[in-house]
């Protein structure tokens, strides 16, 4: 009887572990060849060539109109960048770093004598203690944690991201 109880408990534990939704998912579909962010519409699209694979509602920097120019301006950059780092240990669940600032961004800020800022990511919400509605980031692109798990599984370093007004 005791052995049966132990075996049932182990089977239940393994079964629950298998059903758990860890933050690292697998993706075996078409390659994401680019990402498009449409700031005015608050939408992000993952594309394979010209086919939309996934689309998401997004939150942006707290001052979303216009291109990010300086550290602390609360704007989300605009232009063509790349995903250049995947952060599995993000304070915001998971995150993908965007290659802002580029040479032009740095030159503009240098001429004004101000820092460009940086650390612009696509990320989830975890550990954010503020409100999770509207535009709330410091310039990043935010989605839900569950959506970020899917995005993280699909997008690779080197993927082009077009951030449009």
């Amino acid at each position: 009887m005791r052995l049966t109880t132990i075996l049932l408990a182990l089977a239940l534990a393994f079964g629950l572990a298998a059903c758990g939704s860890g933050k690292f998912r697998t993706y075996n579909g078409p390659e994401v060849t680019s990402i498009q962010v449409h700031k005015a519409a608050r939408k992000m699209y993952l594309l394979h060539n010209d086919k939309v694979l996934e689309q998401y509602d997004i939150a942006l920097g707290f001052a979303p109109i216009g291109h990010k120019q300086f550290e602390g301006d609360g704007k989300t950059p605009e232009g063509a960048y790349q995903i250049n780092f995947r952060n599995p240990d993000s304070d915001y669940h998971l995150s993908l770093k965007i290659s802002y600032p580029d040479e032009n961004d740095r030159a503009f800020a240098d001429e004004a004598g101000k820092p460009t800022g940086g650390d612009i990511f696509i990320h989830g919400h975890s550990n954010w203690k503020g409100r999770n509605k509207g535009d709330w980031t410091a310039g990043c692109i935010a989605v839900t944690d569950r959506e970020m798990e899917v995005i993280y599984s699909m997008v690779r370093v080197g993927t082009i991201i077009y951030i449009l007004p």
Side-chain angles (χ1 to χ4, degrees):
M1 181 69 171
R2 181 179 160 127
L3 181 60
T4 303
T5 303
I6 292 172
L7 290 174
L8 283 173
L10 285 172
L12 179 61
F14 284 121
L16 289 174
C19 292
S21 59
K23 69 180 184 177
F24 298 106
R25 299 176 183 230
T26 57
Y27 174 71
N28 296 316
E31 174 188 10
V32 175
T33 56
S34 67
I35 302 167
Q36 283 189 14
V37 173
H38 296 252
K39 288 172 55 173
R42 303 301 188 275
K43 295 282 187 188
M44 180 171 67
Y45 304 92
L46 305 185
L47 294 106
H48 174 75
N49 298 325
D50 61 351
K51 181 183 177 206
V52 174
L53 300 173
E54 297 286 342
Q55 78 174 37
Y56 300 96
D57 294 326
I58 58 172
L60 299 170
F62 60 83
I65 297 174
H67 175 59
K68 182 167 194 62
Q69 297 177 323
F70 310 115
E71 183 175 3
D73 65 9
K75 296 181 180 183
T76 300
E78 295 173 358
Y81 297 93
Q82 287 186 330
I83 300 301
N84 62 1
F85 179 71
R86 292 165 41 93
N87 184 359
D89 298 314
S90 173
D91 286 341
Y92 298 94
H93 194 55
L94 295 166
S95 61
L96 300 170
K97 187 168 188 327
I98 298 169
S99 64
Y100 173 88
D102 64 16
E103 289 180 29
N104 294 330
D105 297 320
R106 280 190 284 282
F108 181 84
D110 286 348
E111 191 166 307
K114 295 184 176 184
T116 58
D119 287 339
I120 302 297
F121 288 84
I122 301 169
H123 62 66
H125 286 166
S126 292
N127 299 331
W128 170 249
K129 302 303 182 207
R131 62 189 184 96
N132 281 332
K133 294 193 179 210
D135 295 319
W136 58 271
T137 77
C140 296
I141 299 160
V143 295
T144 69
D145 287 349
R146 296 295 167 243
E147 291 169 337
M148 192 62 224
E149 291 171 7
V150 174
I151 294 164
Y152 192 88
S153 74
M154 295 176 74
V155 175
R156 300 290 167 244
V157 168
T159 302
I160 301 294
I161 179 169
Y162 300 99
I163 306 173
L164 309 169

